[in-house]
Amino acid sequence: MKLHAQFLRLHSHAADDRDENHTIETTLDELAAIFDCTHRNALMIIQKMEQHDWIQWTPRRGRGRRSSLRFLIQPEDIAVQSMMQAIDRHDIKRALDEIRVHSRSSTMQEHLQGWLLNYFGHHAEVRSDQQQIDTLRLPIRQQLYTLDPLYLNWLAESFVSSHVFDGLARRANESGEILPGLAHAWEVDTTRTQWTFFLRKEVLFHNGKILTAEDVVYTFERLSRAPGRRLYHFIVRQIQHVQALSPTMVRFVLKEPNELFLSFLCTSRAAIVPRELNQVGEAAFGIRPIGTGAFKVTEMNESLCLLEAFAPYFQGRAHLDRVEIVQLPWATKLESPDMEDTASSFHIIHNPILARDTDTAWSQIHSAASVRKFITCNTHKDGPLRNPEIRARIVACLDHRPLPSAVDSSNANDSCEPLAALQIATIPEYRADAERVAAQLESCGYTCNIVAASMNEFKSSSIRMESDLIIFSLFRDRDEQLRLFDLYLNVSGHVEPHSRVDIERLLREIAREADHTVRAQQFEHIETRLMDEHQLHILYEKPVQTAYLPTVRGVSFNSQGWVDLRHVWFPPAQPPTPHT
């Protein structure tokens, strides 16, 4: 692959010097500088390229004489060869990085993706015993750092993890109804604080060990011990203790009733892991996880995750035999360039932009999920945003509306006087949104600076509390009420004290409310209040869509709006019709 990268580097350097015959005049001095090596090694590189019929090399000796080098192959073809070798070596990320660095070709990405369209998607192999092995090659744009339920930060990680692990309960794909998972039944006492779960018998982890109540106890004690502020930590803090009553019976005792507890048990965060993490340690478990799910991980690195069907899966074996998940930093030809980081493949594509000139008949359906981006004002910070008129003017600017006049003439000068630079806090993945917000505000006369912190840094309150404006996102799926609770609990930390008291009171009422519809109304009340006070502003919301080829069967969405790979299948290849 090094020779491929050297060719791309040479072709890129020669972009402005080639004639109509794709020929350049050069010297060994210049080639050695391009390859960053000695004259001898530069000549060896050129000779190797010539042996591969990539170039034609005509050396000319003598002072002042320049040798002739003619390119016989297009860089796009070299990029495809490099990618094929990288896939064989499971080193795709480095190949892509080298292709992007050394190529100036505007068509390189399209050419490479045209090849990838054929590589990814469904591939069937018929063995000698006539058994068809179905593999789904699935590209995602986001790197998978871990599949450990405790440390999930990204939707792509949660998507994969949800196929490797199971929870005590789960949501039905179509209706969202809460159904049995690892527990086949459960009971709750009249106080709504004691929940008893009855586990299925002889459920196997991927290492062949049987799931017991001790694994459940270990999972939730581990969650309780975890440092820092994690998703749904408000539920975990309500767990007083977990007790194994028998190998197949476990009891949770909550500090107070919480009607979101059962919903929490359906999430990836509450998936059950083996006690002591199968003795591999925290870091290793994230890339070599052991779960009870329909797929087991056989390999995982920074650019590739291989899943194989787990035949003894307690809810029935998956139809797919193998899933290859490859991290690609580029959007696919049919994908929206500003799509959220959801999983996608070329046979199953999330958030597609279907090209008009495509000759393939794609079917398109909506999941129940959407992504909402919004901005909040840090009114806890002693600064200009405590003034509601300034907040109103900022929101008007973001909405491209005329700036409102001051409500109180005595405060008009305060509302319009120059402000110190507004600090916008977000994460690197949302920098583009932050830059759009900053541009809109600067067009209205405000000065802005952007602080893009890593996810873990952003979770710490210090960065948010030091900023004036904070950009969040909300993934609106069937776990929306859990996400809203977590969101508003975070927002309450950077609003004025009187607003914080009211939000926390409403959240306590929501936690005790058994009726889903009433809870939804209470969440809407919080949102309306924050928007009326110009402490929260919705930037935009986009639905999650999925396009898929008609050959894909069993397409359904899990609770998070992703295609459930457990049910995806492809018809067997039809044998050729014999000639009569």
Side-chain angles (χ1 to χ4, degrees), residues 227-491:
R229 194 180 182 96
R230 301 183 182 278
L231 186 64
Y232 310 144
H233 75 286
F234 67 93
I235 291 277
V236 177
R237 289 190 308 178
Q238 291 296 316
I239 300 175
Q240 185 166 307
H241 67 264
V242 189
Q243 180 183 5
L245 303 180
S246 79
T248 58
M249 188 163 74
V250 63
R251 176 168 293 160
F252 292 78
V253 178
L254 307 184
K255 296 175 183 177
E256 58 187 33
N258 194 314
E259 296 300 328
L260 294 174
F261 176 66
L262 195 56
S263 294
F264 166 66
L265 296 183
C266 299
T267 67
S268 296
R269 187 69 60 174
I272 305 303
V273 301
R275 53 190 177 277
E276 306 306 326
L277 302 180
N278 197 37
Q279 308 297 327
V280 300
E282 296 270 337
F285 187 77
I287 59 175
R288 295 199 301 273
I290 300 293
T292 58
F295 294 91
K296 60 182 179 180
V297 177
T298 59
E299 183 177 348
M300 180 173 166
N301 58 42
E302 63 178 358
S303 60
L304 181 70
C305 179
L306 300 182
L307 306 179
E308 290 185 0
F310 183 52
Y313 184 51
F314 71 95
Q315 298 213 60
R317 187 194 188 283
H319 301 294
L320 292 171
D321 298 290
R322 181 182 174 93
V323 179
E324 299 178 7
I325 300 170
V326 179
Q327 191 263 333
L328 289 179
W330 295 340
T332 71
K333 188 175 182 180
L334 299 179
E335 285 178 320
S336 166
D338 59 351
M339 63 175 278
E340 284 299 303
D341 293 305
T342 51
S344 62
S345 80
F346 292 95
H347 279 230
I348 302 172
I349 299 181
H350 285 251
N351 289 340
I353 294 179
L354 298 181
R356 292 181 180 178
D357 59 349
T358 180
D359 56 1
T360 304
W362 291 84
S363 300
Q364 185 165 305
I365 51 178
H366 293 258
S367 75
S370 63
V371 178
R372 174 180 289 182
K373 291 280 184 66
F374 57 91
I375 192 164
T376 63
C377 296
N378 181 8
T379 56
H380 183 83
K381 177 182 176 180
D382 186 12
L385 296 192
R386 285 192 172 179
N387 185 332
E389 293 179 10
I390 293 178
R391 297 200 302 271
R393 294 173 67 83
I394 285 175
V395 169
C397 179
L398 295 177
D399 265 348
H400 299 287
R401 290 187 282 108
L403 299 184
S405 57
V407 177
D408 185 342
S409 59
S410 64
N411 290 331
N413 292 332
D414 293 336
S415 300
C416 302
E417 67 182 21
L419 306 179
L422 297 173
Q423 180 165 300
I424 303 173
T426 189
I427 57 176
E429 289 74 12
Y430 301 162
R431 175 176 277 278
D433 294 298
E435 289 173 348
R436 283 192 288 266
V437 166
Q440 286 175 252
L441 293 178
E442 287 167 358
S443 70
C444 297
Y446 297 98
T447 303
C448 303
N449 68 281
I450 298 170
V451 176
S454 68
M455 177 64 80
N456 289 331
E457 291 173 329
F458 187 76
K459 286 179 179 179
S460 70
S461 61
S462 58
I463 290 177
R464 298 200 307 269
M465 299 305 286
E466 293 166 1
S467 300
D468 301 287
L469 299 168
I470 306 161
I471 293 179
F472 286 93
S473 74
L474 177 70
F475 193 63
R476 304 186 65 188
D477 55 7
R478 293 197 180 103
D479 297 327
E480 180 181 7
Q481 292 197 346
L482 278 169
R483 298 182 189 276
L484 284 172
F485 197 107
D486 195 75
L487 168 68
Y488 291 137
L489 195 60
N490 283 324
V491 170

Side-chain angles (χ1 to χ4, degrees), residues 10-273:
L10 174 62
H11 196 278
S12 176
H13 275 271
D16 299 327
D17 301 322
R18 294 192 301 270
D19 62 19
E20 64 275 10
N21 294 318
H22 306 286
T23 302
I24 62 171
E25 303 293 324
T26 187
T27 66
L28 278 180
D29 282 340
E30 293 172 351
L31 293 174
I34 291 172
F35 298 136
D36 190 22
C37 65
T38 65
H39 284 196
R40 180 183 178 186
N41 287 338
L43 184 58
M44 290 176 61
I45 292 170
I46 290 299
Q47 290 171 344
K48 287 180 181 178
M49 291 183 185
E50 193 171 25
Q51 290 169 7
H52 284 80
D53 293 327
W54 295 353
I55 63 170
Q56 183 181 31
W57 172 247
T58 306
R60 296 190 180 96
R61 300 184 183 277
R63 182 180 297 274
R65 302 194 67 186
R66 300 174 67 81
S67 299
S68 174
L69 187 153
R70 182 185 179 192
F71 292 99
L72 304 178
I73 191 170
Q74 294 298 316
E76 291 81 6
D77 296 325
I78 294 296
V80 167
Q81 291 181 25
S82 178
M83 182 61 65
M84 291 171 65
Q85 292 183 11
I87 287 172
D88 289 340
R89 290 195 308 273
H90 299 169
D91 192 16
I92 298 167
K93 183 176 185 300
R94 191 174 72 176
L96 283 172
D97 288 343
E98 290 177 346
I99 289 169
R100 288 191 296 175
V101 167
H102 301 311
S103 175
R104 296 184 187 178
S105 170
S106 60
T107 62
M108 174 73 77
Q109 181 173 331
E110 288 187 8
H111 186 89
L112 188 57
Q113 287 185 356
W115 178 81
L116 290 174
L117 278 168
N118 292 321
Y119 175 79
F120 286 107
H122 173 243
H123 292 265
E125 173 190 355
V126 180
R127 294 181 174 175
S128 57
D129 60 1
Q130 300 305 307
Q131 181 183 4
Q132 177 170 310
I133 304 300
D134 290 302
T135 298
L136 182 63
R137 293 171 179 159
L138 180 75
I140 57 175
R141 289 199 295 143
Q142 191 179 83
Q143 183 175 336
L144 301 175
Y145 295 96
T146 181
L147 299 182
D148 186 340
L150 181 60
Y151 297 105
L152 302 176
N153 278 327
W154 303 107
L155 294 175
E157 293 174 341
S158 187
F159 164 72
V160 180
S161 184
S162 68
H163 291 88
V164 177
F165 296 94
D166 293 290
L168 294 175
R170 64 183 180 89
R171 286 193 181 274
N173 284 354
E174 303 303 328
S175 66
E177 177 189 1
I178 295 179
L179 301 174
L182 293 173
H184 66 85
W186 55 83
E187 297 174 350
V188 59
D189 72 345
T190 56
T191 69
R192 309 288 289 177
T193 59
Q194 290 192 26
W195 293 76
T196 305
F197 291 83
F198 304 93
L199 305 182
R200 299 177 190 269
K201 294 182 179 180
E202 298 189 0
V203 171
L204 296 180
F205 283 105
H206 297 153
N207 60 0
K209 293 184 178 179
I210 295 176
L211 168 80
T212 71
E214 293 296 339
D215 298 301
V216 179
V217 171
Y218 173 81
T219 296
F220 287 92
E221 287 183 346
R222 180 174 180 247
L223 278 172
S224 299
R225 293 192 306 266
R229 194 180 182 96
R230 301 183 182 278
L231 186 64
Y232 310 144
H233 75 286
F234 67 93
I235 291 277
V236 177
R237 289 190 308 178
Q238 291 296 316
I239 300 175
Q240 185 166 307
H241 67 264
V242 189
Q243 180 183 5
L245 303 180
S246 79
T248 58
M249 188 163 74
V250 63
R251 176 168 293 160
F252 292 78
V253 178
L254 307 184
K255 296 175 183 177
E256 58 187 33
N258 194 314
E259 296 300 328
L260 294 174
F261 176 66
L262 195 56
S263 294
F264 166 66
L265 296 183
C266 299
T267 67
S268 296
R269 187 69 60 174
I272 305 303
V273 301

